Amino acid sequence: MGESWSLEVWAKLPGYLALLCGTGAAVALALARGPQSGAALAPGLARLARIAGLLGVAAIVLRALAHAVAIDGPAGAVSLDTLRLVVIDSRWGGSWQWHAATAVAVALASWRAGAARGLLLYAITLAAAILVAPFLGHGAGTLWRGALHS
């Protein structure tokens, strides 16, 4: 539980925060469209969705760098070979690629989350990001463990 453990925790935190805030923004935006709507809140909620989307992309980059540092020390964060090992060649390489793809998809969809059809796309990409998130950790062993962690 040394320095690498602390780095790992701080690298995961922004990703979980992004998913939590993004989910809250999506639900609140959907509720704001109801009969007793809070339409005045919609612009702020759409902004929160965009911030959460960008934070999710930054978080996956930070997490990859943290894993590279855990493998190869501080030099690992700037070593393309170590980063390649983490995000492509490792046991979790496929999970990294799905995680990064869904983070980018959420970020792109977040720019249209304020519109009715855009909100549906945002919610779908957000659900996909939530489903793939556990496959970089304890849920990576089997599909059942991943589903349970999701």
Side-chain angles (χ1 to χ4, degrees):
M1 285 224 206
E3 191 175 307
S4 65
W5 180 83
S6 178
L7 182 63
E8 179 67 22
V9 169
W10 285 107
K12 285 181 180 181
L13 188 61
Y16 291 132
L17 183 63
L19 291 175
L20 183 64
C21 290
T23 301
V27 170
L29 277 166
L31 291 174
R33 287 182 170 53
Q36 295 179 326
S37 74
L41 297 174
L45 293 168
R47 188 170 29 259
L48 177 60
R50 289 190 297 272
I51 291 168
L54 294 173
L55 180 61
V57 172
I60 189 65
V61 172
L62 178 63
R63 194 163 175 199
L65 292 172
H67 278 216
V69 168
I71 290 171
D72 200 19
V78 293
S79 167
L80 292 179
D81 289 335
T82 305
L83 286 170
R84 179 184 169 85
L85 174 66
V86 169
V87 299
I88 296 172
D89 296 333
S90 73
R91 174 180 168 196
W92 296 279
S95 295
W96 274 103
Q97 293 160 29
W98 279 106
H99 198 67
T102 57
V104 169
V106 168
L108 292 173
S110 72
W111 290 95
R112 298 287 300 148
R117 288 186 182 156
L119 179 57
L120 178 61
L121 179 62
Y122 178 64
I124 290 169
T125 59
L126 193 56
I130 290 167
L131 289 173
V132 302
F135 290 97
L136 281 181
H138 293 96
T142 68
L143 182 61
W144 291 109
R145 280 199 308 210
L148 178 65
H149 279 75
S150 291

